[in-house]
Amino acid sequence: QVQLVESGGGLVQAGGSLRLSCAASGRTLSSYIIGWFRQAPGKEREFVAGIRWSGRNPYYADSVKGRFIISRDAAKNTVYLQMNSLKPEDTAVYYCAADYGGFIAPMTPDYWGQGTQVTVSS
């Protein structure tokens, strides 16, 4: 069982930056793909970014490419989502997720965090 706890959400102005953290615990994550999803008001939950625990094969939704960076610190059992050049359209609840499997895409999470709110004002 994997426990995921997100933090770092908040209110920022358009064009600003924010870094989300996902602290993982419970078992080794070496066989997992870790990533982020988000759910905006009135929208379905959508994939944002994912990365193998090894750090290989980071990938992103088209909507965030060039603006967001996913990374992980194995020593801290933490995955980060650095969000730059934020837009009001990025406003959503962001969820950390863990996917046990060999293919990085499509990501089908087995575990979810509780979510952290990100609000981008215009």
Side-chain angles (χ1 to χ4, degrees):
Q1 178 154 295
V2 175
Q3 301 292 118
L4 304 169
V5 180
E6 304 96 329
S7 62
L11 174 64
V12 299
Q13 293 184 357
S17 297
L18 201 63
R19 188 177 75 161
L20 305 183
S21 298
C22 173
S25 63
R27 59 169 292 171
T28 180
L29 297 173
S30 61
S31 298
Y32 285 83
I33 297 164
I34 311 298
W36 294 89
F37 287 71
R38 67 186 181 186
Q39 188 164 20
K43 303 293 184 180
E44 295 185 350
R45 191 172 298 187
E46 65 176 351
F47 168 79
V48 176
I51 192 170
R52 294 188 183 278
W53 191 246
S54 67
R56 295 183 63 187
N57 307 122
Y59 74 114
Y60 305 87
D62 288 342
S63 59
V64 306
K65 284 182 179 178
R67 298 189 298 122
F68 291 10
I69 301 171
I70 187 170
S71 63
R72 63 100 186 91
D73 186 332
K76 297 180 179 179
N77 274 26
T78 300
V79 176
Y80 303 98
L81 184 68
Q82 177 66 47
M83 304 185 293
N84 301 313
S85 301
L86 283 162
K87 305 174 181 179
E89 306 92 89
D90 296 317
T91 295
V93 177
Y94 283 70
Y95 298 89
C96 185
D99 181 351
Y100 184 87
F103 293 104
I104 198 165
M107 188 173 174
T108 55
D110 300 293
Y111 301 97
W112 296 90
Q114 292 300 113
T116 185
Q117 176 71 48
V118 172
T119 302
V120 184
S121 64
S122 59

